[in-house]
Amino acid sequence: MAAISPIDLQKALKGASYPSSRDDLVSLARDNGADDGLVEKLSHASTDSFDGPDEVQKAVFDNE
């Protein structure tokens, strides 16, 4: 599996409004055609809600 980049995450969350729940962002990522690996990482993020894209990126990439 190719590594997931922050740009991939930005594309997956295009159109997101914040604050947003993790479940809403997972659904949006799927609707935007995100890679299964990215959706999986997002769905297992330790935070239930996010105030902005920086928080999402931190939750997804800080556990690598």
Side-chain angles (χ1 to χ4, degrees):
M1 177 174 101
I4 299 165
S5 75
I7 293 172
D8 295 329
L9 182 62
Q10 289 174 1
K11 289 178 183 177
L13 300 180
K14 182 178 180 182
S17 59
Y18 296 94
S20 190
S21 72
R22 178 180 56 221
D23 293 340
D24 287 344
L25 294 178
V26 168
S27 179
L28 178 63
R30 284 191 181 118
D31 290 347
N32 284 339
D35 176 85
D36 289 340
L38 189 149
V39 172
E40 185 75 13
K41 286 190 83 149
L42 185 57
S43 69
H44 288 99
S46 59
T47 305
D48 290 331
S49 66
F50 300 93
D51 289 329
D54 290 343
E55 285 187 8
V56 179
Q57 185 166 325
K58 184 175 171 80
V60 169
F61 292 107
D62 279 0
N63 292 328
E64 290 188 337

